[in-house]
Amino acid sequence: MRPIIDSALSDASQALDALRRNSQVLDRIEEVARALVQTFNAGGKVIAAGNGGSMCDAMHFAEELSGRYRHDRRAFAAQAMSDPAHLTCVANDFGFDRVFARGVEAWGRAGDALVVFTTSGNSANVIAAAEAARARQIEVLGLLGGDGGRVRDLCDLLVVVPARTSDRVQEIHIKIVHLVIEEIERRLVPENYAPPR
């Protein structure tokens, strides 16, 4: 087992090092954080979506915005489209491809931001959500993997993770989630990051 563990950790470390060396991706992470600061400053909210592990990333992102990251501060309006009643209702009545688009139609307004998480960029329900968001003047931000897939062309801003497998993409996505949240907090509640006196 130890060689497998060592290999997996080495692979994860290489994925993180590739991110750190990619200035274009790092610039995009900053742009995503700035865009979300603008959304919150304008009174908008963040809606997040993804499938499977990417759904978990979307939920993690939303809960640390609406709840708490490192320090107490005001809540930021963010929600993941993860309610089982909504998902199963829409899947049953309209099809699984519509589960996120229907949520965007219900909860999204111009000035909001949709953050989509996908390791392939080709999930039909994520693409449909991005299309629904664009039709409503909702900014679409993508945390993607691979080559970004078909959803990349629907994103106003995107971060494509330089990793080869979906597990490594998701590991980097969660690092990006924390970087974005910290940058949002540093801009909107800078007192939480002031050096101690």
Side-chain angles (χ1 to χ4, degrees), residues 135-177:
R136 285 162 181 74
Q137 291 79 53
I138 296 169
E139 190 170 32
V140 180
L141 311 176
L143 271 69
L144 315 176
D147 63 1
R150 291 181 293 146
V151 80
R152 81 175 291 138
D153 293 333
L154 297 169
C155 293
D156 297 293
L157 286 172
L158 61 137
V159 178
V160 180
V161 169
R164 296 184 306 273
T165 60
S166 61
D167 53 335
R168 296 295 169 252
V169 171
Q170 288 172 336
E171 290 164 3
I172 299 300
H173 278 175
I174 206 63
K175 186 62 191 163
I176 293 169
V177 159

Side-chain angles (χ1 to χ4, degrees), residues 56-128:
C56 297
D57 290 342
M59 292 167 64
H60 189 141
F61 185 53
E63 60 86 6
E64 288 191 342
L65 288 169
S66 63
R68 182 180 193 269
Y69 179 53
R70 288 187 179 162
H71 308 285
D72 291 344
R73 43 106 171 124
R74 68 182 171 95
F76 300 125
Q79 70 181 82
M81 288 189 281
S82 57
D83 174 51
H86 165 80
L87 296 174
T88 56
C89 170
V90 175
N92 186 63
D93 294 343
F94 297 95
F96 193 68
D97 290 356
R98 300 291 304 157
V99 294
F100 300 137
R102 192 73 170 169
V104 169
E105 292 164 6
W107 303 305
R109 301 291 177 267
D112 292 343
L114 172 68
V115 180
V116 295
F117 293 81
T118 169
T119 60
S120 71
N122 293 316
S123 301
N125 56 7
V126 171
I127 292 167

Side-chain angles (χ1 to χ4, degrees), residues 1-10:
M1 183 75 191
R2 184 58 64 89
I4 294 169
I5 293 170
D6 289 343
S7 176
L9 291 174
S10 175

Side-chain angles (χ1 to χ4, degrees), residues 5-88:
I5 293 170
D6 289 343
S7 176
L9 291 174
S10 175
D11 194 42
S13 178
Q14 289 172 23
L16 186 58
D17 287 342
L19 173 71
R20 292 174 63 194
R21 289 190 308 267
N22 191 323
S23 62
Q24 183 179 13
V25 172
L26 298 177
D27 289 345
R28 287 296 180 94
I29 293 168
E30 288 185 57
E31 290 171 16
V32 166
R34 283 195 300 267
L36 293 176
V37 166
Q38 290 175 352
T39 297
F40 291 133
N41 277 338
K45 66 180 167 299
V46 171
I47 302 170
N51 292 294
S54 293
M55 165 75 75
C56 297
D57 290 342
M59 292 167 64
H60 189 141
F61 185 53
E63 60 86 6
E64 288 191 342
L65 288 169
S66 63
R68 182 180 193 269
Y69 179 53
R70 288 187 179 162
H71 308 285
D72 291 344
R73 43 106 171 124
R74 68 182 171 95
F76 300 125
Q79 70 181 82
M81 288 189 281
S82 57
D83 174 51
H86 165 80
L87 296 174
T88 56

